[in-house]
Amino acid sequence: MTLKQLSKTFAAAALSAGIGMTHADGIAALQKFNTDTDGISGQFSQTVHSKKKTQTTSGQFSILRPGLFKWEYTRPYKQTIVGDGKTIWLYDQDLKQVTKRAQNQTIGDSPAAILSNKSALNASYTLKNDGASSGVDYVRATPKRNNAGYRYIRIGFRGNTLATMQLQDSFGNNTNIQFSGVNTRPNLSRGQFHFTPPKGVDVLGQ
């Protein structure tokens, strides 16, 4: 091999190494998101596949860390879920009914915990990179507890932007959530996560 050929070989190797080093890392994107993000808002489309049916819903969401979140379903029905740090309120407009539950007993190791509390990710899950598809890098988060309710949560990032969550629960149901219009610097206040049941609705405690 001549000196010129050797130089080309080293250059190609260096270029290849550089490409490998700059390739996106799902865990790195997830950890950066978890460390840097204090608030997040956007839209979502959620599809749940069970053994008997498939249902798709959509709406918007907002989260203020730690512990505050709001999911507003607008299609095909209207339903609001609010976590105010102490209580989770579920308001079904069609049924004119509100259900309230203690937040610390309800969200557990759920996706809501990952998104709304920075400490939940590393405390409750084992993480591993899980491939890439269509520009999205995936992380598989496996609950450390056997009774967490989820077999795994697969989180996808496009660059450093949250793109999708894919969940499989302990019953084998699969949920796919696609995020859009994600804003990690929203102007949110704690007051936006205060919920007062509308007049005339039934309030059920669990």
Side-chain angles (χ1 to χ4, degrees):
M1 181 179 289
T2 66
L3 181 60
K4 186 175 181 179
Q5 289 173 324
L6 189 62
S7 298
K8 288 183 177 180
T9 300
F10 276 120
L15 179 61
S16 176
I19 293 173
M21 290 176 64
T22 58
H23 179 71
D25 182 318
I27 290 180
L30 176 57
Q31 297 288 14
K32 178 176 174 57
F33 168 84
N34 195 49
T35 300
D36 296 350
T37 304
D38 295 316
I40 182 172
S41 65
Q43 292 78 48
F44 69 90
S45 176
Q46 174 178 305
T47 302
V48 180
H49 300 276
S50 66
K51 294 179 181 179
K52 295 183 178 180
K53 65 179 181 179
T54 296
Q55 183 178 43
T56 298
T57 54
S58 61
Q60 53 267 348
F61 72 97
S62 54
I63 295 167
L64 183 61
R65 292 168 141 188
L68 306 178
F69 59 88
K70 180 184 293 184
W71 291 76
E72 297 178 278
Y73 293 84
T74 56
R75 295 182 181 179
Y77 52 78
K78 292 186 177 181
Q79 189 179 83
T80 301
I81 303 173
V82 178
D84 64 12
K86 294 182 179 180
T87 303
I88 291 182
W89 304 86
L90 191 158
Y91 173 37
D92 191 312
Q93 293 189 32
D94 292 335
L95 296 178
K96 295 183 179 180
Q97 179 177 291
V98 172
T99 303
K100 63 176 184 178
R101 302 176 181 175
Q103 185 164 323
N104 61 353
Q105 297 175 6
T106 302
I107 65 172
D109 298 329
S110 70
I114 290 181
L115 294 176
S116 62
N117 291 303
K118 293 186 178 185
S119 62
L121 182 65
N122 292 316
S124 301
Y125 291 89
T126 300
L127 306 177
K128 72 171 184 178
N129 283 316
D130 199 26
S133 177
S134 301
V136 177
D137 295 277
Y138 290 93
V139 179
R140 181 177 291 251
T142 304
K144 294 179 180 178
R145 297 191 304 113
N146 293 329
N147 60 345
Y150 289 90
R151 294 176 180 173
Y152 66 82
I153 300 174
R154 197 167 181 244
I155 309 165
F157 284 84
R158 183 172 283 105
N160 289 320
T161 302
L162 179 66
T164 182
M165 295 183 80
Q166 301 168 359
L167 330 168
Q168 186 177 88
D169 66 22
S170 56
F171 299 102
N173 300 315
N174 293 287
T175 300
N176 189 317
I177 305 172
Q178 298 292 326
F179 298 101
S180 60
V182 173
N183 179 7
T184 56
R185 294 289 185 271
N187 184 20
L188 300 174
S189 66
R190 297 187 66 86
Q192 293 174 246
F193 300 90
H194 176 75
F195 180 83
T196 300
K199 293 182 179 180
V201 304
D202 295 325
V203 180
L204 308 177
Q206 295 186 358

